[in-house]
Amino acid sequence: MARSFRPHGKKPAPVKTQAEIDEMVRRLKAAQAEASNYRERSLKQHGWICAKCGREFDLSTLHLLTVHHKDGNHNNNPADGSNWENLCIYCHDDEHSRSLLGDYLQGR
């Protein structure tokens, strides 16, 4: 008996209407905009200061200030900002490398 290499079991996805596609794109853009503006909200709530080293930032150096998620979950963005802290890029790197170094030293 000869084997068939044609795909079986998969049916083509139903064709979506233009209105369904537009609604899907609108929802995706809204979700992306909400997820990306947590940085602006954190900067307003916590100020332009690194929470670890205390360095102050101005408009020309603001790109060096990042938002750190305390629990590591980038999707956990509460309105009160309790999961965020503003860290300069150096302190942010230090924060994330600490767990890597600890894991290495403990043999994990």
Side-chain angles (χ1 to χ4, degrees):
M1 178 177 202
R3 290 190 115 188
S4 171
F5 291 101
R6 282 187 274 160
H8 23 256
K10 286 194 172 187
K11 296 179 182 175
V15 177
K16 297 196 181 294
T17 66
Q18 187 62 42
E20 291 173 322
I21 294 171
D22 291 342
E23 176 62 21
M24 188 183 314
V25 168
R26 186 193 62 74
R27 281 188 281 127
L28 288 171
K29 283 184 178 180
Q32 183 180 18
E34 185 173 320
S36 67
N37 76 1
Y38 70 82
R39 182 175 189 273
E40 286 80 21
R41 293 186 320 196
S42 180
L43 291 173
K44 284 181 186 175
Q45 290 176 358
H46 301 295
W48 293 6
I49 299 173
C50 176
K52 196 169 183 180
C53 69
R55 178 179 173 191
E56 294 185 22
F57 293 83
D58 58 22
L59 196 55
S60 66
T61 59
L62 191 59
H63 66 281
L64 299 174
L65 189 61
T66 62
V67 178
H68 173 67
H69 289 81
K70 294 176 184 177
D71 68 357
N73 181 358
H74 291 259
N75 295 320
N76 182 10
N77 296 309
D80 65 352
S82 59
N83 189 37
W84 306 324
E85 61 183 349
N86 294 342
L87 298 176
C88 69
I89 58 171
Y90 308 108
C91 291
H92 202 168
D93 284 346
D94 180 60
E95 190 70 29
H96 285 283
S97 65
R98 285 177 180 263
S99 63
L100 293 174
L101 180 59
D103 290 346
Y104 173 76
L105 292 174
Q106 291 181 355
R108 291 188 211 156

